[in-house]
Amino acid sequence: RRAPPAAAGDSAEAFRRTGGIVIVGASLAGLRAALVLRRDGFAGSLTVIGDESHPPYDRPPLSKQVLIGQAPALGTELPRRGESDVTWRLGVPATGLDLIGRQVILADGQKVGFDRLLIATGLRARPWPNEAEAALDGVCTVRTPEHAEALRRRLTARPGRVLVIGGGFTGSEVASACRDLNVPVTLVDRGPAPLTGALGAVIGRVAARMHRDHGVDLRCGVQVETLEGDGSGRVRRARLSDGSVLDVDVVVVALGSIRNVEWLEGSGLAAGVWGVTCDAGCRAVDVNGVVTDDVFVAGDIARFPHPVYNYQYLALEHWGNAVAQGEVAAHNMISADSRRWPHLSLPEFWSTQFDTEIKSVGVPTYADQVVIAQGSVAERRFVAVYGYQGRVTAAVAFNHSKWLEFYAGLIDRAAPFPPSFATVDPPDDGHPVAAEVPDRPTRQATVVVTGHTPGERRARLVSRPYL
């Protein structure tokens, strides 16, 4: 006679003792997951694979404190208190995934077996598209400690002019660092204003005034066509789409990120330009739309549905999301189905530019209107609240973040938009206006709704002849 099947709880406890987990991505999300696994009693084998040779590090300081000399580039390593018995395989990237054989294939030909897998391979900086121009001495990106240290050395050498290509958060923070160091800087963005891809053009215009007030040569609505070097291979000029030519010594390419999904090609998982699709419990989805049981996703590379936003899929590049999703994934990997958690945290981010603290909760681009709910735009101390179809969906604060927890509560309970209650520090003009968010995601956006656009609720049939 066959023995009766083990209870789900018994299976989960057995896996905690003897299972094998592999985390691909020595990132913030990967590290947080590893620490939570050990903290919550997972005693099996635990391996973390990373393509970079150094341990996990904190990225936000690289485009802020490191560039102005307040922190060393190689001193941003994340604390690993509580880590025990974790095998680190650093400096060798994963190049393939065999789901049937339950193996991760490494660049050196080795294979690492697993019972359960967490994918946390994150992002890399999007390079300048012309390889010859990108190879010019003085053309930089900011993504790793090495990138930040190299740019820091160039800025302290007092260049005649720095060109920043891209007005997202990274590009804006680099421009701010240049002005802190009294280095002349030009910021070029093809959108109508900086941060438009993340906050919409209304608040983007506030950011534009902030840039110009601090001496940034801001040029919007144009693109860099070519970068030119001298006889020694150093970048010297940039030609713009409006016909103007800039003499430059350093070029910082801040054109957004690329998700590291190439190694998953042929694996059978639903992986694409917006990341690896997963459910709200961080379980990966395969190409047939079936949720997998033993493969999980967390951090920048995850593309997941959020109930607050009509179950649209979100792709986030936020520090807080990496931490929260890493914790949820770790918990669910070692828990019975009935005890698994959904990842329901609202997106949050922050940025510091020109001594201004910008913080956000929710998805500002999931909006059709925006209103200044508190404070003064002229003083750059205000809260902007975003709404879509009559409900609150996001809030952004400039030097006024103490109120964001309150607005997060409004988002969670789908409060009516515009807010109609009395507030502390009421604005001079509290009338909603069109949010002017982009029709489609931009490369600099750090929160992306990757399903239909908010106003579109139609499917389109694509007919192809059968072969």
Side-chain angles (χ1 to χ4, degrees), residues 177-374:
C178 289
R179 296 310 301 141
D180 283 346
L181 298 171
N182 200 29
V183 172
V185 58
T186 297
L187 176 63
V188 173
D189 190 88
R190 64 180 180 181
L195 305 183
T196 295
L199 305 180
V202 173
I203 305 304
R205 287 192 285 271
V206 178
R209 290 194 294 271
M210 183 171 65
H211 278 268
R212 293 188 170 109
D213 288 349
H214 286 83
V216 176
D217 174 24
L218 178 63
R219 308 199 185 189
C220 297
V222 296
Q223 301 182 66
V224 176
E225 297 283 339
T226 58
L227 301 174
E228 299 177 356
D230 59 17
S232 61
R234 284 191 55 82
V235 66
R236 292 301 183 192
R237 285 173 300 279
R239 297 188 181 275
L240 308 188
S241 57
D242 61 0
S244 58
V245 179
L246 297 174
D247 293 327
V248 297
D249 301 300
V250 177
V251 175
V252 181
V253 179
L255 294 176
S257 305
I258 299 174
R259 286 167 172 81
N260 295 318
V261 297
E262 291 84 356
W263 69 284
L264 295 170
E265 184 175 351
S267 68
L269 294 180
V273 294
W274 297 119
V276 183
T277 303
C278 61
D279 70 359
C282 301
R283 295 179 301 173
V285 174
D286 71 13
V287 293
N288 296 309
V290 177
V291 176
T292 62
D293 291 324
D294 299 316
V295 180
F296 294 75
V297 194
D300 297 346
I301 200 171
R303 178 177 181 262
F304 63 97
H306 203 298
V308 171
Y309 299 99
N310 293 336
Y311 297 94
Q312 291 284 306
Y313 279 87
L314 303 185
L316 289 89
E317 302 178 21
H318 294 167
W319 193 95
N321 180 70
V323 172
Q325 204 166 32
E327 292 179 355
V328 170
H331 172 85
N332 290 348
M333 292 178 89
I334 58 174
S335 298
D337 289 351
S338 60
R339 297 183 58 200
R340 286 178 172 172
W341 297 338
H343 175 52
L344 302 178
S345 300
L346 288 175
E348 297 181 359
F349 75 85
W350 73 91
S351 176
T352 303
Q353 306 167 22
F354 309 105
D355 297 323
T356 297
E357 179 189 71
I358 304 173
K359 288 191 174 183
S360 170
V361 61
V363 182
T365 52
Y366 193 88
D368 50 23
Q369 289 187 304
V370 62
V371 64
I372 304 302
Q374 291 179 255

